[in-house]
Amino acid sequence: MTSLKPVTADEWAKAIDTADLLAGPTFGYRLTTGGWEAAVHIATSGHLDEGVRDELITALQDSISETVRRVLGHTGEVRRHENYADGTARTRIA
């Protein structure tokens, strides 16, 4: 399988604008036994109903959290760090 092409933050931003998507939340995963393992920035259609958008983002976060745990074979605590539009942030168990 061919690897996906890494993109810079500028390339990602341009792709989001070109696709007419709404940049959404950023969240990262950190093992309690070490440093950061992954980070994700979600973008969704700006045409989605707010409730549907929230439900989609929550479902993606849950799926990604489970995948991080499974792929890393981590049975201990994995923390998900979330950033919010009001400038606040929260860390919770993923």
Side-chain angles (χ1 to χ4, degrees):
M1 181 171 108
T2 304
S3 295
L4 294 173
K5 176 191 177 291
V7 297
T8 66
D10 288 340
E11 289 171 322
W12 188 84
K14 184 177 179 183
I16 295 304
D17 288 342
T18 300
D20 196 28
L21 293 172
L22 177 63
T26 299
F27 52 97
Y29 295 89
R30 186 175 191 162
L31 303 181
T32 55
T33 58
W36 293 98
E37 298 295 336
V40 177
H41 193 150
I42 295 176
T44 58
S45 170
H47 304 290
L48 292 176
D49 173 76
E50 186 176 344
V52 170
R53 182 175 187 274
D54 289 346
E55 184 178 350
L56 175 60
I57 289 169
T58 298
L60 288 169
Q61 286 177 315
D62 291 346
S63 295
I64 293 167
S65 293
E66 188 280 324
T67 300
V68 168
R69 243 181 221 296
R70 180 181 49 79
V71 170
L72 296 180
H74 192 70
T75 57
E77 198 170 275
V78 176
R79 295 184 180 259
R80 182 172 74 209
H81 182 79
E82 302 168 343
N83 298 300
Y84 296 94
D86 65 1
T88 62
R90 180 170 78 174
T91 299
R92 68 166 91 187
I93 297 173

